Amino acid sequence: MLHFELVTPEKLVRSEDVYMVVVPGTEGDFGVLEQHMPLMSSIRDDAELAIYREEKGAPEMLRIQGGFAEVSETGLTVLAERIGG
Amino acid sequence: MASLKALKIRIGSVKSTQKITKAMQMVAAAKLRRAQMAAEAGRPYAERIEQVVASLAARVTISDQTPKLLAGNGHDSVHLLIVTTSERGLAGAFNSNIIRAARRKADELIAAGKTVKILTVGKKGRVLKRFYPKHIAGDIDMSAIKNVAFSDAQKVADEVIQRFDNGEFDVAHLFYAKFQSALVQEPVGQQVIPVPVDPDAAKTAGAVEYEPDEETILADLLPRNLAVQIYRALLENAASEQGSRMTAMDNATRNAGDMINRLTIEYNRTRQAAITTELVEIISGAEAL
């Protein structure tokens, strides 16, 4: 499982294990699974993160503003200024 | 010796003062808990972004393309002091400590021949105008804000960055009180523009892919980092203010208690003296018969 954290300046919104997250990067969407290589990417404004808790099933969509994604050995961290429209 | 009536009025007035300080202390204690929680909740984001910026900053080589917020604009003559204070007084030495720290820095810079500009955030910082009437660059009004949100810090950061882009200053320092405990709040002044680079940070993260490239990410993150620093300063300030007020009001309540005791003793003595005098008068009057 991939450890996924979503943080805003006001609080740690989420910290959980998920199957996959599709991140809308500035240079294109990319999916992050467990054991992904280290990566830093900015995120397009007003785009949606797709969080897949299970391998099958519909993703949970989350709109974020002013985002930045960091993938390291410990998992995926998304820094967002705001959540929602 | 004061009359009985005057003493009684005095005791009454000290008692009602004590009630007020006691209430303020309790309100501050409740607010302190909330402010502390907010400060703690904001920590993960600030730590992460700091880490990322530090490791990126250590990796890029300074060139013309490097964002100015990191590399500076090549000068060191105009300094902007961003002084964040509270909106209300009666918080012990909280505001004066921050202002003293800012004044020390300002005097130091002026003595070194630099130009100093001061941007005050919060009402209580405006007294700086008295000391440096020619150096005030502006004031950001925070009176409408009850609980600091990130967007408030963002506004301050936007203004600062705009001034920086206009070439109004070269170096910026941020002043606030760091919250350590309800008893101890340490005034700090820290440089925020250009971002101080920690050379040790480079060793983290071996092969990391950057999308787009380092410079673009930095250019994107640096303004955000400034907003986060300011946000953190405001949160620390909020907690420090409440902590400082709580301690100050606790002292005030205790002082009022001492004063009430003293006045009560004086009141009783005066009353006793009056009774004794009266008795002596009656007895000597009876003996004369």
Side-chain angles (χ1 to χ4, degrees):
Chain A
M1 294 297 270
L2 169 78
H3 187 67
F4 167 61
E5 282 190 355
L6 178 60
V7 201
T8 66
E10 267 126 19
K11 63 178 182 193
L12 178 65
V13 182
R14 268 188 209 192
S15 174
E16 59 190 1
D17 288 330
V18 297
Y19 172 69
M20 175 171 84
V21 180
V22 176
V23 182
T26 328
E27 303 204 322
D29 292 11
F30 57 90
V32 182
L33 283 151
E34 199 183 353
Q35 306 264 310
H36 193 284
M37 72 183 287
L39 169 80
M40 284 185 193
S41 170
S42 44
I43 297 178
R44 289 198 307 272
D45 258 352
D46 209 24
E48 284 179 327
L49 284 175
I51 303 155
Y52 293 80
R53 279 170 199 281
E54 305 293 333
E55 190 168 349
K56 292 188 186 101
E60 181 194 349
M61 307 302 283
L62 210 55
R63 191 173 289 275
I64 59 168
Q65 310 288 333
F68 177 80
E70 183 197 6
V71 186
S72 66
E73 301 84 50
T74 50
L76 167 70
T77 309
V78 174
L79 303 175
E81 267 175 28
R82 252 176 321 121
I83 293 186
Chain B
M1 207 176 268
S3 76
L4 275 184
K5 183 149 193 221
L7 274 174
K8 203 163 198 177
I9 292 171
R10 189 84 201 286
I11 291 172
S13 105
V14 176
K15 264 188 185 155
S16 60
T17 307
Q18 189 190 31
K19 256 179 217 152
I20 294 168
T21 57
K22 180 98 199 159
M24 280 182 79
Q25 182 204 340
M26 265 148 28
V27 170
K31 282 191 178 162
L32 170 66
R33 196 156 347 121
R34 244 203 333 241
Q36 237 178 317
M37 260 158 56
E40 261 159 42
R43 231 163 257 169
Y45 188 94
E47 274 166 15
R48 286 276 155 61
I49 200 159
E50 213 162 70
Q51 238 171 8
V52 172
V53 167
S55 71
L56 274 172
R59 289 173 81 93
V60 295
T61 40
I62 305 290
S63 68
D64 293 347
Q65 256 71 56
T66 322
K68 293 274 183 287
L69 286 175
L70 177 66
N73 56 8
H75 302 284
D76 178 33
S77 54
V78 186
H79 288 243
L80 180 76
L81 308 184
I82 308 165
V83 185
T84 62
T85 51
S86 71
E87 282 298 316
R88 286 158 203 279
L90 287 179
F94 168 73
N95 287 308
S96 37
N97 278 344
I98 298 175
I99 287 163
R100 190 167 322 129
R103 283 183 61 191
R104 198 176 305 138
K105 185 80 188 174
D107 290 341
E108 195 181 295
L109 289 169
I110 291 170
K114 315 271 189 209
T115 311
V116 171
K117 290 184 178 178
I118 297 171
L119 176 70
T120 56
V121 180
K123 183 174 146 201
K124 289 287 158 185
R126 288 179 209 157
V127 296
L128 280 166
K129 204 172 189 165
R130 257 201 326 235
F131 303 113
Y132 308 102
K134 292 196 191 75
H135 298 284
I136 301 293
D139 168 63
I140 296 175
D141 189 36
M142 304 292 274
S143 56
I145 296 156
K146 255 181 131 183
N147 293 314
V148 192
F150 182 65
S151 51
D152 303 322
Q154 185 99 56
K155 259 178 246 149
V156 180
D158 286 347
E159 167 136 9
V160 171
I161 288 170
Q162 204 195 340
R163 283 166 188 262
F164 183 66
D165 289 342
N166 291 345
E168 283 183 39
F169 65 91
D170 308 319
V171 182
H173 307 265
L174 179 63
F175 288 87
Y176 63 96
K178 200 173 208 158
F179 181 80
Q180 283 173 347
S181 71
L183 288 170
V184 186
Q185 301 88 27
E186 183 197 357
V188 284
Q190 118 197 22
Q191 184 181 321
V192 286
I193 299 175
V195 178
V197 177
D198 175 13
D200 294 340
K203 62 181 191 286
T204 54
V208 179
E209 189 84 355
Y210 292 96
E211 236 178 79
D213 50 292
E214 284 103 317
E215 267 89 1
T216 321
I217 294 185
L218 258 183
D220 190 32
L221 282 187
L222 284 168
R224 222 178 287 169
N225 184 45
L226 180 68
V228 170
Q229 300 283 352
I230 292 175
Y231 182 55
R232 182 152 64 166
L234 293 178
L235 287 179
E236 293 275 352
N237 251 0
S240 298
E241 180 196 349
Q242 299 306 340
S244 184
R245 175 166 302 133
M246 195 176 98
T247 321
M249 286 303 126
D250 185 42
N251 279 337
T253 309
R254 221 165 308 146
N255 283 346
D258 289 350
M259 195 179 248
I260 289 169
N261 283 345
R262 252 201 348 264
L263 287 172
T264 313
I265 288 173
E266 199 181 331
Y267 174 79
N268 287 343
R269 281 207 184 124
T270 317
R271 193 176 64 97
Q272 194 61 55
I275 292 169
T276 315
T277 335
E278 213 171 300
L279 275 177
V280 169
E281 273 167 13
I282 293 169
I283 293 166
S284 48
E287 271 173 5
L289 285 174

